[in-house]
Amino acid sequence: MIFTFPKLNESSNILLKIILTLSIIYSFISLFSYLNIILTTHDFYTLYPLESILLLIGTLFILTGNFLIFIFKKSGFWLSLIGALIVIFINISFDGIDFFQSFYGVEFQFLVFFLLIYKRNGISTWDIIYKN
């Protein structure tokens, strides 16, 4: 894998590493998209300025949280969770978006959260993070 950390090599959850890497890439793309919308005063930003800024902040929390999860820091989970909740609640606030569409942008986060609690050989990745 591209990223190698000593603690990460102790974990046998390769799928978590792959999903975190994909989520980090996706979060970077989302972050720059929201920055472009805000800095160019796109029509979306003129209609929803607060929501645009909150989506940017939520994406930044998700990105930072995923980096911290990747290096096995407990605070990464909480930052990712806060970011995912911000994105979900902002998406729910838009008219014309149904409940399932409000989860767009955080699909990887749910997969990351599931893989953190998935037990392999009797121990989960969350157990490893919590003990550190």
Side-chain angles (χ1 to χ4, degrees):
M1 192 94 230
I2 296 171
F3 304 105
T4 57
F5 294 101
K7 292 179 186 177
L8 197 57
N9 290 333
E10 295 172 8
S11 173
S12 61
N13 201 340
I14 303 268
L15 186 58
L16 178 63
K17 296 179 214 178
I18 293 169
I19 296 299
L20 275 172
T21 304
L22 291 174
S23 181
I24 288 169
I25 291 168
Y26 179 74
S27 295
F28 266 121
I29 293 169
S30 297
L31 182 74
F32 288 119
S33 296
Y34 290 131
L35 275 174
N36 184 35
I37 288 170
I38 292 170
L39 294 177
T40 60
T41 59
H42 189 270
D43 291 338
F44 182 80
Y45 179 70
T46 56
L47 289 174
Y48 306 105
L50 179 64
E51 290 86 351
S52 300
I53 293 170
L54 287 175
L55 285 170
L56 176 73
I57 291 170
T59 304
L60 191 60
F61 280 1
I62 290 172
L63 180 66
T64 307
N66 285 341
F67 273 121
L68 290 173
I69 290 172
F70 208 84
I71 59 173
F72 282 66
K73 299 289 183 186
K74 287 182 257 188
S75 59
F77 169 76
W78 299 111
L79 272 176
S80 291
L81 182 64
I82 291 169
L85 290 175
I86 289 172
V87 170
I88 289 170
F89 285 124
I90 294 302
N91 285 342
I92 287 174
S93 73
F94 292 122
D95 293 333
I97 295 180
D98 66 7
F99 180 72
F100 291 108
Q101 287 177 333
S102 64
F103 292 103
Y104 288 170
V106 293
E107 304 92 354
F108 279 118
Q109 286 313 113
F110 290 120
L111 196 53
V112 167
F113 297 153
F114 172 74
L115 291 173
L116 281 173
I117 61 171
Y118 175 73
K119 290 196 182 250
R120 186 172 180 173
N121 297 329
I123 192 162
S124 68
T125 307
W126 179 252
D127 294 336
I128 295 170
I129 292 173
Y130 192 75
K131 290 178 184 175
N132 290 328

